[in-house]
Amino acid sequence: MSEETPGFEEKPEVPADGTPDDAAEPKAAASSKEEAAAPAGDSAAAQDVALLAQLDQARTALGERTADLQRLQAEYQNYRRRVERDRIAVKEIAVASLLTELLPTLDDIGRARDHGELVGGFKSVAESLETAAAKMGLQQFGKEGEPFDPTIHEALMHSYAPDVTEDTCVAILQPGYRIGERTIRPARVAVAEPQPGAAPKSESAEADAPSDKDTDAPDKG
């Protein structure tokens, strides 16, 4: 049998720094937690920076797409206006071409009316044709006594007259026609000019009127 030596007891092993193992373990755990927390914080900050960069890119892309959409809408509106303008122009040209072909017939109707030959069924057809032309925008112009305007009148005859003070249409040989503001045929007229050397009516009237001196002068007889 072995005998234990009195006075000697087994003592726990102590680390070199004198700290027990039980106290060293919490310190190691705390340090490991701090080391784990530090990389986690850096990772979160990096994620925030990346998210902000992505947000800026998304905002930039949204602004570019919005500008593209606005530009596309403006181009589409301009295209619609241009198409509508062209459509109206083509329609006006087509109507003007058709009505221009009808002008000789309308002239015949006018001459027949002036000679009293527009009667019976011919009168009804002629009036229906004139009504249809008017609905399409055809307007007749040209009257005797109106001032001569070379932009809407075509002078076929020329004369002098003592009773006019400016170039005047004294006869309408063929009426003019327009569609809106567009003249498709000028009115063909006879024009009279003032008589050469004739004094205006106002001056002649002043010359013929007795002066105040002659009226106020006493009779010498």
Side-chain angles (χ1 to χ4, degrees), residues 58-208:
R59 287 176 177 172
T60 302
L62 178 61
E64 293 176 353
R65 299 300 179 270
T66 302
D68 292 341
L69 179 59
Q70 292 174 347
R71 183 167 54 253
L72 182 62
Q73 288 178 339
E75 292 177 356
Y76 177 66
Q77 292 296 332
N78 292 334
Y79 169 76
R80 286 188 59 186
R81 284 193 289 266
R82 186 167 58 252
V83 169
E84 182 66 16
R85 196 163 53 242
D86 293 344
R87 185 186 67 81
I88 294 174
V90 169
K91 180 181 177 181
E92 290 179 350
I93 292 173
V95 171
S97 178
L98 173 62
L99 294 177
T100 301
E101 296 297 327
L102 291 177
L103 293 186
T105 303
L106 295 176
D107 291 336
D108 292 338
I109 293 174
R111 282 189 290 267
R113 182 180 286 111
D114 293 338
H115 291 85
E117 299 175 356
L118 198 62
V119 295
F122 178 53
K123 179 180 179 181
S124 177
V125 172
E127 291 176 349
S128 298
L129 180 61
E130 290 175 336
T131 301
K135 287 182 179 180
M136 296 177 71
L138 185 66
Q139 299 176 357
Q140 186 183 101
F141 67 89
K143 295 181 180 179
E144 294 183 5
E146 65 185 6
F148 175 75
D149 184 351
T151 61
I152 60 173
H153 297 137
E154 181 181 353
L156 299 183
M157 298 178 63
H158 182 272
S159 62
Y160 295 97
D163 56 344
V164 297
T165 58
E166 59 180 344
D167 294 351
T168 305
C169 301
V170 293
I172 305 299
L173 307 178
Q174 203 173 46
Y177 289 96
R178 66 165 64 97
I179 300 176
E181 299 297 327
R182 179 181 179 183
T183 300
I184 62 176
R185 190 182 75 181
R188 292 163 181 168
V189 300
V191 180
E193 294 183 12
Q195 191 73 28
K201 289 184 178 181
S202 58
E203 294 181 2
S204 61
E206 291 177 359
D208 295 338

Side-chain angles (χ1 to χ4, degrees), residues 11-42:
K11 296 182 181 180
E13 295 181 358
V14 179
D17 58 356
T19 304
D21 292 341
D22 295 341
E25 290 179 358
K27 288 184 178 180
S31 62
S32 63
K33 288 182 180 180
E34 291 177 356
E35 292 175 356
D42 295 341

